[in-house]
Structure formats: structure tokens, C-alpha cells
Amino acid sequence: AKAESPSHDKSAVDACGQVLQQLFNRHLGVKAEVFPRSEYGNHLAFDIGNGTRKTIIIGHFDTVWDIGRLSLRREDGKLYGPGVLDMKGGLIQAIWAVKALKELELLADHHIRFLCNADEELGSPSSREWIEEQAKDCRQVLVAEPTTANNHALKTGRKGTGRFYVHIKGRAAHAGNN
């Protein structure tokens, strides 16, 4: 399903979250725990298994692209569109990987918790603390960021982000005249 989700459009992000909930329910038989947000899209968590070995898989479902900015198209057996090589693609891969583990009965004593945040492209302003709290008692955290189109290796690192606020006091002046 096409579900564009620009970070600043809460209704679009939440609609994408509904599609994600349908996918988790259809393929893994689980329902979402919804963490409502007023300014950003709602965050979602999905639990598979109830064992003591807890793994968290993180993936965001917001994108930087405005609705309609990128077309969804298929060329030469490849799919192109917003989120295909971003976390949306990674979440789909993770759903299928966990489905395979579940069907092969390889999840005994495991608890997998998917954390799907809706504000990562903005620097995770409403999900960072939520993710940190959720991850406290787990054995490992995996991030479902897929590889780039030209590099088929596992991603093992990410760039960081910084946010700075500068307050300046003084009198307005033109640099060339004052």
C-alpha cells in the first residue's frame, strides 16, 4: 500500500502507522501498542513472544519527502519511491525475518519488541526518551536501516545529529555601515 508519511504531517504519518499495523497483524498476528503524540505521529510497539531474552528492533516510518514529491514506480523488477531504501524497507525486511524465525520455531525463550517511531527524520524529538526507556532491559537493539542501493553490506554505524540554540543580545546594525 502506498502510505506517504512526511514527518510534519501528523495525519499522514498516523495513516502510514495504520498500514504498518495491518502489516504486523497480517504477517505476525500481533496488534500494536499505540503511544499517542499530539504534535508528531503516534509511535507504535509490537511484541512477538514472551521469553526472557529480549531484543528490540527499531525502525521509523516517517520520511523527509512531501506527499507527491517522489513517485512510486517499478522498473526492471525494482521498486522506487519514498521510504523504499529507508526504514520502511527495513521494517518490511525485519517483519519477514521475524516471521521466518517464528514459523521455524526458533523464538523459544525470546521476546522481540518492535519500536516504530514517527519522528526520526526530525531528530526523534518525541521518541528518543521513549526508545531509551524501552531499551533498558533488553539484550540487544537492532536498527532496521537497510543498505544503500550500491552497497549490499550490513549497516553497523550511523551518523549523529546535533541541535544548537544560539541567543544573541545586542543592537541591530548593518555590518558595512556601523
Side-chain angles (χ1 to χ4, degrees):
K2 185 176 179 182
E4 295 182 77
S5 53
S7 303
H8 290 293
D9 187 336
K10 179 175 171 43
S11 63
V13 174
D14 286 343
C16 181
Q18 291 292 324
V19 171
L20 197 56
Q21 289 181 58
Q22 292 168 6
L23 290 170
F24 271 90
N25 189 273
R26 183 181 323 134
H27 297 295
L28 294 173
V30 295
K31 293 193 182 293
E33 181 179 355
V34 179
F35 294 83
R37 295 297 186 257
S38 57
E39 187 176 349
Y40 306 102
N42 299 331
H43 306 313
L44 307 171
F46 301 90
D47 291 293
I48 296 92
N50 55 7
T52 59
R53 300 172 68 188
K54 185 175 177 183
T55 297
I56 288 179
I57 300 175
I58 298 175
H60 69 91
F61 57 98
D62 61 319
T63 60
V64 298
W65 306 104
D66 291 331
I67 291 176
R69 177 85 161 85
L70 294 179
S71 63
L72 181 63
R73 68 186 194 285
R74 189 181 312 264
E75 290 178 15
D76 299 325
K78 295 179 183 176
L79 189 63
Y80 297 85
V84 172
L85 282 179
D86 199 1
M87 286 285 190
K88 286 180 180 177
L91 281 170
I92 297 301
Q93 292 172 3
I95 287 170
W96 282 102
V98 171
K99 180 179 174 73
L101 291 171
K102 186 177 174 184
E103 289 180 359
L104 292 169
E105 298 180 3
L106 296 173
L107 293 179
D109 198 33
H110 287 275
H111 172 196
I112 296 175
R113 184 162 174 89
F114 279 85
L115 299 180
C116 302
N117 61 320
D119 64 350
E120 189 272 348
E121 296 293 0
L122 302 172
S124 304
S126 73
S127 62
R128 180 181 174 153
E129 288 180 16
W130 173 69
I131 291 169
E132 289 172 349
E133 185 62 34
Q134 297 283 320
K136 282 183 178 177
D137 65 342
C138 69
R139 298 182 110 205
Q140 58 200 349
V141 175
L142 306 172
V143 180
E145 183 83 33
T147 187
T148 61
N150 299 324
N151 178 4
H152 301 291
L154 179 68
K155 282 190 181 175
T156 59
R158 295 283 294 151
K159 64 181 187 246
T161 184
R163 200 171 274 189
F164 301 91
Y165 298 93
V166 178
H167 299 280
I168 300 172
K169 290 183 181 181
R171 196 169 44 155
H174 186 280
N177 296 331
N178 301 74

